[in-house]
Amino acid sequence: MAHYVYPAVFHANGDGSYTITYPDIPGCISEGKSLENALYMAQSALSQWMEYLIENKEAAPAASEVHEVHAGPNEFVNLIRADVKDTRAVRRTVSIPKWMDEQVAAAGISLSRVLQDALKERLDTT
């Protein structure tokens, strides 16, 4: 799992909502209806942006130091962390008994899906 931390600028809007931008990531913008929601949306936007870069084999831009990012009127700067899982598929060889393979094939079960679900449960991940 890759970890990314970037400074985000939160602009307080007149209606209590917030607009979030990332000075180091042009185009990565989000909004939240409240401060709590804005923090969640900021993390979600950063995670999705980083996943996009990974999928497209693009390098993540360098993050500015938080003290280098200046906030304007009605704004504040906060660090946002995103933990990004690389979801690209990899091939693994697994062995199961022949009788089980025959029943799986007859039932139309996806071994990949069953294995992924079982591993997620065993590893206690989402």
Side-chain angles (χ1 to χ4, degrees):
M1 184 177 315
H3 309 283
Y4 301 93
V5 177
Y6 283 87
V9 177
F10 288 73
H11 175 81
N13 300 314
D15 61 358
S17 68
Y18 292 84
T19 301
I20 308 113
T21 59
Y22 289 89
D24 301 312
I25 312 170
C28 186
I29 301 169
S30 192
E31 291 188 75
K33 295 180 181 181
S34 65
L35 181 55
E36 179 181 5
N37 181 245
L39 289 166
Y40 172 81
M41 296 302 290
Q43 185 177 36
S44 178
L46 179 58
S47 296
Q48 289 176 26
W49 199 270
M50 292 299 121
E51 287 169 357
Y52 170 83
L53 293 178
I54 290 169
E55 280 182 26
N56 290 285
K57 297 180 176 136
E58 295 181 30
S64 297
E65 295 292 328
V66 70
H67 64 273
E68 295 174 350
V69 179
H70 301 287
N74 299 321
E75 294 180 338
F76 68 92
V77 178
N78 194 49
L79 291 174
I80 302 297
R81 176 182 165 147
D83 298 327
V84 179
K85 295 177 184 173
D86 186 346
T87 59
R88 293 177 290 182
V90 296
R91 288 199 165 272
R92 299 292 300 249
T93 301
V94 297
S95 299
I96 61 172
K98 182 168 178 34
W99 67 266
M100 194 179 286
D101 184 56
E102 291 169 352
Q103 287 187 354
V104 164
I109 296 172
S110 166
L111 283 178
S112 293
R113 173 57 48 209
V114 171
L115 179 59
Q116 287 178 43
D117 291 345
L119 288 171
K120 284 179 184 176
E121 184 177 322
R122 175 68 65 93
L123 298 171
D124 196 26
T125 64
T126 56

